[in-house]
Amino acid sequence: MNRRTQLLALCLLISLAFAGWTWLRPYEWGRDAGARYRIVHSSLRKDTSYYWLELKLDQAGEESHDLRKPVALILADGREMEPAETQLEGDATNPTSGIGLKFWLEEKDLAGPLRLKMNDGTLTVRKESGAPPLKNSIRYFNTANW
């Protein structure tokens, strides 16, 4: 193997390691176990002058979602918003193994960090501040750093 081939193999290995780390890292490091769920991904879609924030959650332990407890998105200014739509996913043995939530937000609601209050804990939806980064009409996020 000549030097050029070794260099290309090393670059390929580094690229594969980075791609694997990006693909397998969690949405949020050190999530609150009291929430009982973890965020898999989120998406933000512009709809005229408003935004649709969609969250996909998966069950993270043995306990499922307590349907008697409200779910709310906590905005940077402390206000709480209820979901506009909730979708339960699962089977006959566990009907809430996955949950989809949609929130109807104004641009000012996205000015700062966002947290999701669920069961007995909170999950970080967004850590950053400022206007949301939208190049197209929809954007998907695999981490809370947006």
Side-chain angles (χ1 to χ4, degrees):
M1 212 190 290
N2 64 19
R3 189 164 176 82
R4 175 180 264 166
T5 306
Q6 289 176 344
L7 182 61
L8 288 174
L10 178 65
C11 290
L12 178 64
L13 185 63
I14 291 171
S15 299
L16 288 174
F18 180 74
W21 176 77
T22 303
W23 183 263
L24 297 174
R25 70 180 170 182
Y27 188 88
E28 173 187 11
W29 296 98
R31 67 167 186 82
D32 187 355
R36 302 181 189 171
Y37 283 75
R38 63 182 178 85
I39 300 175
V40 178
H41 62 81
S42 61
S43 66
L44 190 65
R45 180 170 45 98
K46 189 164 177 66
D47 188 5
T48 314
S49 62
Y50 290 89
Y51 292 88
W52 279 108
L53 173 64
E54 297 182 37
L55 303 174
K56 168 69 171 99
L57 296 100
D58 278 346
Q59 190 172 338
E62 294 295 320
E63 292 185 80
S64 64
H65 177 54
D66 186 354
L67 296 172
R68 297 170 295 178
K69 293 185 179 180
V71 175
L73 184 69
I74 303 171
L75 306 176
D77 61 6
R79 289 183 296 136
E80 294 185 4
M81 300 200 64
E82 293 183 7
E85 183 179 317
T86 303
Q87 297 174 344
L88 301 178
E89 303 170 2
D91 54 18
T93 60
N94 188 3
T96 58
S97 63
I99 299 177
L101 301 170
K102 286 177 95 172
F103 295 92
W104 181 251
L105 303 172
E106 296 180 38
E107 189 168 352
K108 67 177 182 167
D109 298 335
L110 295 165
L114 302 172
R115 294 177 296 134
L116 182 69
K117 182 173 78 172
M118 181 176 201
N119 295 311
D120 297 322
T122 59
L123 299 171
T124 302
V125 176
R126 180 179 187 217
K127 291 182 182 178
E128 303 295 323
S129 296
L134 275 181
K135 296 175 186 165
N136 301 327
S137 60
I138 190 167
R139 181 128 183 237
Y140 296 94
F141 303 100
N142 293 326
T143 70
N145 298 322
W146 52 280

